[in-house]
């Protein structure tokens, strides 16, 4: 308990320290963001060498936390999650080490590209039983910062997930509106 309290105090001190240059209006420094949107997912299932393709619309959430060493580059952890209902709630998540590269040095408006690679997970949540599995995923995207702290982003997503000896290859197009604190 004492170690946890010490770690929390250190983390709070770092977050609110002026040396981190966080929340000073410049993109450089600590970043924290999230977004909501919609996506279109298509998946191919390969159980026992049989194939079945399904497509669906999904609700999207987007989260990122990290550091921007300059006003044009962000390095962060990203978590993109697709949510849909089909005889139970399904979640497809991608936790990735990611980057965003802005084409303009100002933090007002401008175009950017992003990408990341990490682990995907698929979870089926219902009251009878739940299944989950995880393997590999990646995303690439582009977007526009239309106002300070606000962006619209379009991402292409690929995830390969294995659940109970079934392989799922997910391909998706995700559109989110995001807010970023810097």
């Amino acid at each position: 308990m004492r170690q946890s309290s010490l770690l929390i105090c250190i983390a709070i001190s770092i977050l609110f320290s002026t040396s981190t240059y966080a929340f000073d209006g410049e993109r450089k420094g600590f970043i924290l963001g999230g977004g909501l949107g919609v996506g279109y997912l298509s998946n191919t299932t390969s159980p026992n060498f049989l194939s079945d393709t399904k497509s669906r619309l999904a609700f999207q959430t987007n989260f990122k936390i990290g550091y921007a060493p300059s006003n044009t580059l962000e390095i962060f952890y990203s978590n993109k999650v697709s949510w849909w209902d089909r005889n139970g709630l399904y979640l497809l998540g991608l936790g990735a080490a990611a980057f965003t590269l802005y084409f303009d040095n100002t933090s007002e408006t401008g175009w950017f590209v992003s990408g990341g690679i990490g682990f995907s997970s698929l979870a089926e949540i219902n009251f009878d039983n739940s299944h989950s599995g995880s393997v590999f995923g990646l995303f690439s995207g582009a977007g526009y910062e239309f106002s300070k702290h606000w962006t619209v982003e379009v991402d292409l997503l690929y995830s390969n997930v294995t659940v109970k000896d079934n392989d799922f290859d997910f391909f998706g197009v995700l559109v989110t509106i995001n807010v970023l604190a810097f």
Side-chain angles (χ1 to χ4, degrees):
M1 180 70 174
R2 190 172 196 197
Q3 290 176 341
S4 298
S5 299
L6 178 62
L7 290 175
I8 290 171
C9 288
I10 291 171
I12 289 172
S13 297
I14 290 171
L15 288 175
F16 292 106
S17 169
T18 57
S19 64
T20 61
Y21 302 105
F23 310 114
D24 61 356
E26 294 290 320
R27 197 176 290 117
K28 181 179 179 180
F30 177 76
I31 59 169
L32 177 65
L36 299 173
V38 295
Y40 180 78
L41 293 175
S42 176
N43 73 283
T44 302
T45 310
S46 299
N48 303 325
F49 304 104
L50 298 174
S51 188
D52 183 19
T53 301
K54 297 176 181 153
S55 300
R56 73 200 48 82
L57 285 176
F59 176 70
Q60 300 298 138
T61 56
N62 190 11
F63 171 79
K64 70 178 179 180
I65 186 169
Y67 183 76
S70 71
N71 277 331
T72 57
L73 177 65
E74 297 171 347
I75 301 169
F76 54 91
Y77 166 77
S78 173
N79 190 359
K80 298 179 181 294
V81 181
S82 302
W83 312 63
W84 71 92
D85 181 23
R86 184 176 181 161
N87 300 326
L89 179 63
Y90 288 83
L91 307 173
L92 175 67
L94 171 59
F99 74 94
T100 297
L101 181 63
Y102 291 85
F103 296 119
D104 190 356
N105 195 25
T106 68
S107 57
E108 295 295 326
T109 61
W111 294 97
F112 63 87
V113 294
S114 61
I117 186 167
F119 291 99
S120 284
S121 61
L122 176 66
E124 173 191 1
I125 302 168
N126 61 36
F127 295 109
D128 297 331
N129 62 27
S130 294
H131 304 290
S132 65
S134 63
V135 185
F136 168 79
L138 56 89
F139 77 93
S140 66
Y144 186 74
E145 184 176 30
F146 58 88
S147 178
K148 191 171 192 174
H149 303 286
W150 290 92
T151 64
V152 61
E153 186 172 358
V154 177
D155 292 313
L156 301 176
L157 171 95
Y158 169 75
S159 291
N160 175 269
V161 182
T162 301
V163 179
K164 294 180 71 175
D165 297 327
N166 294 320
D167 290 324
F168 296 89
D169 286 317
F170 281 92
F171 299 94
V173 177
L174 319 175
V175 179
T176 55
I177 294 181
N178 307 286
V179 63
L180 181 65
F182 52 81

